[in-house]
Amino acid sequence: MSKIDFTDLDGKVLRTFLTILEESSVSKAADRLGVTQSAVSHTLGKLRAVLGDPLFVRSGQGLTPTERALALKEPVQKVLDGMRALTEERPFDPLSEEMQFQIAANDLQRELIFPILLREARTEGIRLRLDFVPSGVPDPAILRNDRCQLMLTPLPPDGPDIYQKRLLTSPLMIYYDADHRDPPDSWEAYCATEHVEVRFADGRSAKVVMRGVDQSQIRPATVTLPHFNAIPSFVKGSDLISTDTALMRQGPLASLDCAPLPFACDPVSIYMVWHERSTGDPAHRWLRNRIERIAAALAD
């Protein structure tokens, strides 16, 4: 009779398997999980013994999953989601739990909401840890794979398992240095002006939020940057402009002058987005409620 016990497959083991699958690397999986490489290697060895499959084979600098490993991805995620659901009706007191969330957000959403939230939580004695990743133009896969538990973005991904709620709406504005120029006063002048814009890691521009205008007429950006926080350094002391939401006046672009666009353009909404697995979790509900309250105060 086999000495292998399927109960060795606890939640931590299954989470390690999914992390290795997503990272294609033991070292990257260890960094993400906050454990040593040897701990991840030991867990992988246990998985291989229990499941009777190598699961991953070395390929160049990384690991390539076997067909068995790829086939296990969805059922393993469902098992973890089911285990998470067991805790949804637990008595919840934010003062008695140490909560940790991975959140996808770009500079504006991160700096507008979460410093306030963290200060309030610490004042109340709530133990809260926040890990941030850039959202860029977000992919629902990072929610489905549990690489983050919440997303704040003007470009919410779609899916039957993806939930969203609008938090804020803001018009787009021109940001510039009034000591060096006036803002463009027409569509033609705007299109001819040199711009600074953010371009995300996947190559898409932050100007994707500009709806209802023909962007092909706008002059290609003179400077492209990976983060909104870097914009003021290039706009200050120059005739460059940047186009971003009015909310940026409360965040990364507070040091710049701003003016309305000289043409019609739809306002931008910021959404809170999460996966259906998190909907009933009381800690996640607590976080969503806090975010909504802060966003409502900012909108007043």
Side-chain angles (χ1 to χ4, degrees):
M1 186 173 178
S2 172
K3 295 181 180 180
I4 299 301
D5 186 352
F6 73 90
T7 59
D8 285 340
L9 299 178
D10 60 27
K12 290 184 178 179
V13 170
L14 297 180
R15 169 57 60 209
T16 299
F17 165 73
L18 286 182
T19 305
I20 299 171
L21 187 61
E22 291 162 12
E23 298 291 349
S24 300
S25 165
V26 168
S27 60
K28 290 180 180 178
D31 287 342
R32 185 169 144 196
L33 293 167
V35 299
T36 63
Q37 292 186 40
S38 61
V40 173
S41 296
H42 175 76
T43 300
L44 180 55
K46 180 191 290 188
L47 276 164
R48 285 167 165 162
V50 173
L51 298 175
D53 189 274
L55 298 175
F56 302 94
V57 295
R58 190 161 297 282
S59 176
Q61 298 298 312
L63 298 174
T64 298
T66 64
E67 289 186 11
R68 173 70 170 147
L70 292 173
L72 284 170
K73 180 178 180 180
E74 184 174 345
V76 166
Q77 186 66 69
K78 287 183 178 179
V79 169
L80 286 172
D81 291 346
M83 294 173 70
R84 188 198 304 266
L86 294 174
T87 68
E88 288 184 356
E89 299 305 320
R90 70 185 187 276
F92 175 71
D93 178 1
L95 292 172
S96 66
E97 296 193 19
E98 182 173 1
M99 295 180 284
Q100 180 175 3
F101 299 98
Q102 289 75 39
I103 298 165
N106 291 326
D107 303 351
L108 169 64
Q109 302 94 287
R110 184 187 65 234
E111 296 182 14
L112 196 63
I113 299 287
F114 293 100
I116 299 172
L117 192 155
L118 188 61
R119 285 194 297 270
E120 290 181 353
R122 290 171 68 86
T123 298
E124 296 168 27
I126 296 171
R127 293 171 296 163
L128 179 64
R129 295 175 57 192
L130 302 174
D131 302 324
F132 291 97
V133 296
S135 61
V137 179
D139 188 327
I142 67 173
L143 288 167
R144 291 180 177 133
N145 296 338
D146 207 23
R147 297 199 64 169
C148 73
Q149 291 80 53
L150 192 73
M151 184 185 290
L152 265 64
T153 175
L155 301 165
D158 293 323
D161 55 341
I162 304 298
Y163 289 60
Q164 59 177 249
K165 186 164 187 177
R166 185 164 56 194
L167 292 174
L168 296 160
T169 299
S170 177
L172 287 167
M173 306 284 283
I174 295 169
Y175 288 86
Y176 65 105
D177 184 345
D179 290 335
H180 288 265
R181 64 160 303 138
D182 294 324
D185 59 2
S186 68
W187 167 250
E188 292 74 19
Y190 176 87
C191 290
T193 300
E194 293 191 79
H195 297 253
V196 176
E197 70 179 41
V198 168
R199 192 170 297 278
F200 302 117
D202 64 1
R204 284 182 281 188
S205 167
K207 283 189 176 178
V208 69
V209 300
M210 293 183 72
R211 306 288 173 83
V213 300
D214 182 3
Q215 294 192 41
S216 67
Q217 297 185 44
I218 301 172
R219 182 173 181 165
T222 300
V223 179
T224 59
L225 300 165
H227 304 292
F228 294 95
N229 283 332
I231 291 173
S233 297
F234 287 88
V235 173
K236 277 285 189 183
S238 78
D239 62 353
L240 297 169
I241 67 168
S242 183
T243 304
D244 293 287
T245 65
L247 291 168
M248 285 283 189
R249 291 179 294 184
Q250 302 178 55
L253 306 188
S255 63
L256 298 176
D257 302 290
C258 66
L261 293 175
F263 51 88
C265 184
D266 295 340
V268 176
S269 293
I270 304 295
Y271 295 85
M272 179 167 59
V273 188
W274 65 96
H275 191 269
E276 63 181 356
R277 77 168 68 88
S278 300
T279 296
D281 180 76
H284 202 278
R285 283 201 303 264
W286 174 90
L287 178 67
R288 298 196 307 267
N289 289 338
R290 282 297 179 103
I291 290 172
E292 284 188 61
R293 192 181 75 188
I294 294 169
L298 291 170
D300 288 344

